[in-house]
Amino acid sequence: MRVFVTGASGHLGSAVVPELLEAGHQVVGLARSDKSAAALTAAGAQVHRGDLDDLGGLAAAAAAADGVIHLAFKHDAMFAGDFDGAVAADLRAIDTLGNALAGTGKPLVATSGTALFAFAGLQGLLTEADVLDAGPRIEAENAVVALAERGIRSSVVRLPPTVHSSLDHNGFIPTFISIARSKGVSAYVGDGANRWPAVHTLDAARLYRLALESAPAGSRLHAVDDEGITFRQIAEGIGRGLNLPVVSIAPTEAEAHFGFLGAHAQADNPSSSKLTRDLLGWTPVQPGLVDDLGQGHYFDTGATAAR
């Protein structure tokens, strides 16, 4: 297929693009900077200059493609405090892509997250069958699934909060490592028994390709390898990597210690991918999160400084 990929030069896109190319697909990647365009060209992809606000450009690129993978999200706006604006931009982009593909039967694979359900109060093991009516980014997930009724083979990949690998430079793990360095301890909250699902970047990339190629219309998919690593295990892995003490802090101290990630550090989000594995034959083969933390790349200050 000729595949249009948004977010093509980002963390996940930098794995999805090679995955698609190696499988024989052509890739057209959205690039908003010269640096991103150069990275895509070097990888062997074609470049479409623009961003999520260029709705006309998104529509034209989607219409010219045989399928679309939507990875982009305004993370810079979100971390600057404009989460609502980032969510609204994502919805506009999905609506635009959907209008361009309506009635074609072409695939559109978009992105959501498992942690959204933890923050919405869902308890127990999250499965692909769990659905929410509304919530931040949930409207986008539901809008993509609803595109199946408009003649689009739409699917959504729910990512766990931790998508880990040597390609992960700005995600939760690097951020928690930075906090641990600045505080001199690697901390967890309470007994640290709250669980985070996780997946290696390369395994997630393969799932996006499989979804593009064969996911049924209206599918919800989970890119989950580790169903639930306790946050204490994560803190211990960070402590080993930095040679820092690992400590428990009280819930009342979480915000002061972790900043805006205080609630995330306490989230319990065990998630299953059994339905996804059965549906698409997806089997993760890369190291799990604890093993990946033990490989050292997250703690290489020389590599961090060069990024």
Side-chain angles (χ1 to χ4, degrees), residues 161-188:
T162 301
V163 181
H164 59 89
S165 71
S166 59
L167 297 170
D168 176 23
H169 302 158
N170 301 298
F172 284 118
I173 295 300
T175 303
F176 283 124
I177 289 172
S178 177
I179 292 170
R181 278 198 174 104
S182 68
K183 299 289 185 178
V185 296
S186 180
Y188 57 90

Side-chain angles (χ1 to χ4, degrees), residues 64-102:
D66 300 314
V68 176
I69 295 180
H70 177 45
L71 302 173
F73 188 77
K74 289 189 172 184
H75 291 100
D76 49 353
M78 179 181 72
F79 286 121
D82 188 17
F83 181 58
D84 290 343
V87 168
D90 188 44
L91 270 171
R92 287 193 298 270
I94 287 169
D95 183 61
T96 298
L97 296 171
N99 287 336
L101 297 176

